[in-house]
Coordinates of all heavy atoms in Angstrom, one line a residue:
S182 N -3.5 24.7 67.7 CA -4.1 26.1 67.8 C -3.3 27.0 68.7 O -3.7 28.2 68.7 CB -5.6 26.0 68.2 OG -5.7 25.3 69.5
A183 N -2.3 26.6 69.3 CA -1.5 27.4 70.3 C -1.0 28.7 69.6 O -0.4 28.6 68.5 CB -0.4 26.6 70.9
G184 N -1.3 29.8 70.2 CA -0.8 31.1 69.7 C -1.4 31.6 68.4 O -1.0 32.7 67.9
L185 N -2.5 31.0 67.9 CA -3.1 31.5 66.7 C -4.3 32.4 67.1 O -5.2 32.0 67.7 CB -3.7 30.3 65.9 CG -2.6 29.3 65.3 CD1 -3.3 28.2 64.6 CD2 -1.6 30.1 64.4
C186 N -4.1 33.7 66.7 CA -5.1 34.7 66.9 C -5.5 35.2 65.6 O -4.7 35.5 64.7 CB -4.6 35.8 67.8 SG -4.2 35.4 69.4
L187 N -6.8 35.3 65.4 CA -7.4 35.8 64.1 C -7.1 37.3 63.9 O -7.2 38.0 64.8 CB -8.9 35.4 64.0 CG -9.2 34.0 64.2 CD1 -10.7 33.7 63.9 CD2 -8.4 33.1 63.3
H188 N -6.8 37.6 62.7 CA -6.6 39.0 62.3 C -7.6 39.4 61.3 O -7.8 38.7 60.3 CB -5.2 39.2 61.7 CG -4.1 38.8 62.6 ND1 -3.8 39.5 63.7 CD2 -3.3 37.7 62.6 CE1 -2.8 38.8 64.4 NE2 -2.5 37.7 63.7
L189 N -8.3 40.5 61.5 CA -9.2 41.1 60.5 C -8.5 42.3 59.9 O -8.2 43.2 60.5 CB -10.5 41.6 61.2 CG -11.3 40.5 62.0 CD1 -12.4 41.0 62.7 CD2 -11.7 39.4 61.0
R190 N -8.3 42.1 58.6 CA -7.6 43.1 57.8 C -8.4 43.6 56.6 O -9.3 42.9 56.2 CB -6.3 42.5 57.2 CG -5.3 42.0 58.3 CD -4.0 41.5 57.7 NE -4.2 40.1 57.2 CZ -3.2 39.4 56.6 NH1 -2.0 40.0 56.4 NH2 -3.3 38.2 56.2
P191 N -8.1 44.7 56.1 CA -8.8 45.2 54.9 C -8.5 44.2 53.7 O -7.5 43.6 53.6 CB -8.1 46.5 54.6 CG -7.4 47.0 55.8 CD -7.1 45.7 56.6
P192 N -9.5 44.0 52.9 CA -9.4 43.1 51.8 C -8.1 43.2 50.9 O -7.5 42.3 50.5 CB -10.6 43.3 50.9 CG -11.6 43.8 51.9 CD -10.8 44.6 52.9
V193 N -7.7 44.5 50.7 CA -6.5 44.7 49.9 C -5.2 44.1 50.6 O -4.4 43.5 49.9 CB -6.3 46.2 49.6 CG1 -6.0 47.0 50.9 CG2 -5.2 46.4 48.6
E194 N -5.2 44.1 51.9 CA -4.0 43.5 52.6 C -4.1 41.9 52.5 O -3.1 41.3 52.3 CB -4.0 43.9 54.0 CG -3.6 45.3 54.2 CD -3.5 45.7 55.7 OE1 -3.4 44.9 56.6 OE2 -3.7 46.9 56.0
V195 N -5.3 41.4 52.7 CA -5.5 39.9 52.7 C -5.2 39.4 51.3 O -4.6 38.4 51.1 CB -6.9 39.5 53.1 CG1 -7.0 38.0 53.1 CG2 -7.2 40.1 54.5
R196 N -5.7 40.2 50.3 CA -5.4 39.8 48.9 C -3.9 39.7 48.6 O -3.4 38.7 48.0 CB -6.1 40.8 47.9 CG -5.9 40.5 46.5 CD -6.6 41.6 45.6 NE -6.0 42.9 45.8 CZ -6.6 44.0 45.6 NH1 -7.9 44.0 45.2 NH2 -6.0 45.2 45.8
A197 N -3.2 40.7 49.1 CA -1.7 40.7 48.8 C -1.1 39.5 49.6 O -0.1 38.9 49.0 CB -1.2 42.0 49.3
A198 N -1.5 39.3 50.8 CA -0.9 38.2 51.6 C -1.2 36.8 50.9 O -0.3 35.9 50.9 CB -1.5 38.2 53.0
Y199 N -2.4 36.6 50.4 CA -2.8 35.4 49.7 C -1.9 35.2 48.5 O -1.3 34.1 48.3 CB -4.2 35.4 49.4 CG -4.8 34.1 48.9 CD1 -5.4 33.2 49.7 CD2 -4.7 33.7 47.5 CE1 -5.9 32.0 49.3 CE2 -5.2 32.5 47.1 CZ -5.8 31.7 47.9 OH -6.3 30.5 47.4
T200 N -1.8 36.2 47.7 CA -1.1 36.2 46.4 C 0.4 35.9 46.7 O 1.0 35.1 46.0 CB -1.2 37.5 45.6 OG1 -2.6 37.7 45.4 CG2 -0.5 37.4 44.3
A201 N 1.0 36.5 47.7 CA 2.4 36.3 48.1 C 2.6 34.9 48.6 O 3.6 34.3 48.2 CB 2.8 37.3 49.2
R202 N 1.7 34.4 49.4 CA 1.9 33.0 49.9 C 1.8 32.0 48.8 O 2.5 31.0 48.7 CB 0.9 32.7 51.0 CG 1.1 31.4 51.7 CD 2.5 31.3 52.3 NE 2.7 30.0 52.9 CZ 3.9 29.4 52.9 NH1 5.0 30.0 52.5 NH2 4.0 28.2 53.4
H203 N 0.9 32.2 47.9 CA 0.7 31.4 46.7 C 2.0 31.3 45.9 O 2.5 30.3 45.5 CB -0.5 31.9 45.9 CG -0.8 31.1 44.6 ND1 -0.2 31.3 43.4 CD2 -1.6 30.0 44.5 CE1 -0.6 30.4 42.6 NE2 -1.5 29.6 43.2
A204 N 2.6 32.5 45.6 CA 3.8 32.6 44.9 C 5.0 31.9 45.6 O 5.8 31.2 44.9 CB 4.2 34.1 44.6
E205 N 5.0 32.1 46.9 CA 6.1 31.4 47.7 C 6.0 29.9 47.6 O 7.0 29.2 47.3 CB 6.0 31.9 49.1 CG 7.1 31.4 50.0 CD 6.9 31.9 51.4 OE1 6.0 32.7 51.7 OE2 7.8 31.6 52.3
L206 N 4.8 29.4 47.7 CA 4.6 27.9 47.6 C 4.9 27.4 46.2 O 5.5 26.3 46.1 CB 3.2 27.5 48.1 CG 2.9 27.7 49.6 CD1 1.5 27.6 49.9 CD2 3.7 26.7 50.4
L207 N 4.5 28.1 45.2 CA 4.8 27.7 43.8 C 6.3 27.7 43.6 O 6.8 26.7 42.9 CB 4.1 28.7 42.8 CG 2.7 28.4 42.3 CD1 2.3 29.4 41.3 CD2 2.6 27.0 41.8
S208 N 7.0 28.7 44.1 CA 8.4 28.7 43.9 C 9.1 27.5 44.6 O 10.1 27.0 44.1 CB 9.0 30.0 44.4 OG 9.0 30.1 45.8

Side-chain angles (χ1 to χ4, degrees):
S182 57
L185 296 177
C186 293
L187 303 187
H188 302 286
L189 299 175
R190 300 184 276 180
V193 65
E194 289 181 24
V195 184
R196 181 179 64 202
Y199 188 97
T200 305
R202 185 62 185 146
H203 181 272
E205 187 178 358
L206 290 168
L207 270 185
S208 71

